[in-house]
Amino acid sequence: MVQLEHLTAPVDAVVARMRALDAALHPRDGVAVFNRVYLAVTEEVDRRLDAGEFADPRAATALDVRFAERYLAAVDAAAADRRPPACWRPLFQFRRHPGVRPLQFALAGINAHIGHDLALAVVDACHTLGCEPADLEDEFDRVGDLLVSLEERIREDLMPGPDLFQIADPLTHLLGSWSLERAREATWAAARALWALRHCADVAGEFAERLDAAVGFAGRMLLTPLAG
């Protein structure tokens, strides 16, 4: 039990940080909307770690914590008036826009975190653990499966009701163009590519920069204002 507590302590710290953000941010703030979604995911990962449901809890912890640290670093950068990664900029720029719906904020955050941060987190975790991406594939899939299971609930909870029929059609069309499953597949390919390029710093850096920009462009589209 001591060993398990030692492994889950970093995840507990991440959960505590997200809970503090949840308490500090206005509920309609776009970052708060995403933070609530991500907090639910991280709490579930923590619960499953405590229950011994991961075959390799050390690998699962490393991936989960490195993943969360990238989101929290973006939050810290924005709070300090520094530029967060391009993938996160649309969410921070539009976080208070009255024409952006909560579901858009949630999926834009997921897009940034899955499309960019997760690929880099796999590489970070491989360096931490001294392993290859293939050794983390089971943990990557488990986290991805958890996000997919939550996506439908997120859409149901945050989709506008019949009284907002005027924006339902454009919102459905806009968000139907983005797929978490496709983002997951692209992220795994990007993580493997980044790992293969780890000894070519210039090329790896350019690849990561292009990935960041592309994910940021998709996030900007997801946050298209639909109503004033």
Side-chain angles (χ1 to χ4, degrees):
M1 178 60 71
V2 173
Q3 184 178 13
L4 182 58
E5 289 176 351
H6 174 70
L7 286 172
T8 59
V11 182
D12 292 339
V14 164
V15 168
R17 177 75 195 283
M18 290 183 196
R19 287 175 178 164
L21 282 171
D22 186 53
L25 296 173
H26 189 283
R28 291 188 61 82
D29 183 307
V31 177
V33 174
F34 169 71
N35 188 78
R36 287 194 295 273
V37 172
Y38 193 28
L39 174 58
V41 172
T42 308
E43 286 175 334
E44 181 61 17
V45 170
D46 198 19
R47 186 195 68 77
R48 294 185 184 190
L49 280 166
D50 286 340
E53 294 183 19
F54 285 95
D56 187 344
R58 181 168 174 261
T61 298
L63 180 59
D64 189 54
V65 171
R66 297 293 174 267
F67 189 31
E69 285 173 345
R70 289 193 169 272
Y71 158 62
L72 295 173
V75 170
D76 289 342
D81 291 325
R82 291 182 280 108
R83 281 167 67 84
C87 61
W88 285 106
R89 284 175 212 155
L91 181 59
F92 288 108
Q93 289 167 354
F94 285 81
R95 62 194 294 178
R96 297 180 182 90
H97 196 295
V100 179
R101 313 308 301 183
L103 178 57
Q104 292 175 265
F105 289 132
L107 294 186
I110 293 172
N111 169 70
H113 205 37
I114 295 291
H116 173 263
D117 292 357
L118 184 54
L120 274 65
V122 169
V123 175
D124 292 342
C126 285
H127 283 300
T128 297
L129 298 168
C131 67
E132 299 281 327
D135 299 320
L136 296 179
E137 190 167 6
D138 287 346
E139 286 68 33
F140 178 94
D141 287 342
R142 280 179 175 269
V143 172
D145 288 345
L146 180 55
L147 282 163
V148 169
S149 71
L150 285 174
E151 187 187 18
E152 183 175 347
R153 192 185 81 190
I154 292 165
R155 288 179 183 264
E156 289 175 355
D157 289 349
L158 299 179
M159 197 71 176
D163 57 320
L164 295 175
F165 182 76
Q166 291 290 332
I167 66 165
D169 277 351
L171 182 60
T172 301
H173 176 76
L174 177 67
L175 300 181
S177 65
W178 185 83
S179 163
L180 176 56
E181 192 59 48
R182 289 198 300 269
R184 249 177 87 184
E185 292 170 358
T187 293
W188 183 245
R192 293 176 62 203
L194 283 167
W195 184 252
L197 292 170
R198 66 191 182 280
H199 300 305
C200 304
D202 290 346
V203 180
E206 182 177 352
F207 183 96
E209 185 177 335
R210 301 280 182 171
L211 176 66
D212 189 21
V215 173
F217 179 77
R220 175 62 185 84
M221 294 302 100
L222 286 169
L223 292 172
T224 299
L226 298 175

